[in-house]
Amino acid sequence: MSRMENDFPIVLDWAIGTQNCNEVRNTTVDLCMEHSLCIDSESGRGGYRCIYYEGYVGNPYLSLGCQDIDECTNNPCDGICTNTLGGFQCSCPKGYFGDGQKGRGCQKEYDFPILKLSLAWK
């Protein structure tokens, strides 16, 4: 007996319940955990889903499920990278100026000698 295998795409459209985000916000029905966002279903049948905030990864339905991404591990700065909740900041080390962003970077500050003049009148 021979078996034929075919591949075909499947689209899964799902939502939690029939209430929208405005209806479940600040209730025990709201299943979106910390660092996540409730979005209304677009199916036309009501309900909502949860997604994690930008700069986070994980499962938005679990307590502590959305964890901050350490963007600095990918070295997005030419200068100093400081990871922040949901993002990062670039800066320049002492003696340099600029925004520290990749491609724009940091420029060395130059110390210009100061010429002091004294004028005397007789």
Side-chain angles (χ1 to χ4, degrees), residues 61-97:
Y61 303 100
L62 298 177
S63 179
L64 302 176
C66 298
Q67 301 295 314
D68 177 54
I69 298 170
D70 184 355
E71 291 87 354
C72 293
T73 59
N74 296 328
N75 197 22
C77 305
D78 279 340
I80 299 166
C81 183
T82 304
N83 188 54
T84 61
L85 289 178
F88 66 96
Q89 292 179 335
C90 298
S91 60
C92 295
K94 187 174 179 150
Y96 290 79
F97 69 94

Side-chain angles (χ1 to χ4, degrees), residues 14-19 29 31 46-50 61:
W14 66 277
I16 300 170
T18 57
Q19 296 175 304
V29 183
L31 298 178
Y48 67 95
R49 292 184 298 120
C50 306
Y61 303 100

Side-chain angles (χ1 to χ4, degrees), residues 1-5:
M1 176 188 266
S2 84
R3 183 173 155 176
M4 182 185 288
E5 292 185 29

Side-chain angles (χ1 to χ4, degrees), residues 15 19-23 38-43 46-49:
Q19 296 175 304
N20 66 31
C21 294
N22 284 332
E23 295 169 325
C38 181
I39 56 170
D40 291 329
S41 171
E42 296 177 0
S43 69
Y48 67 95
R49 292 184 298 120

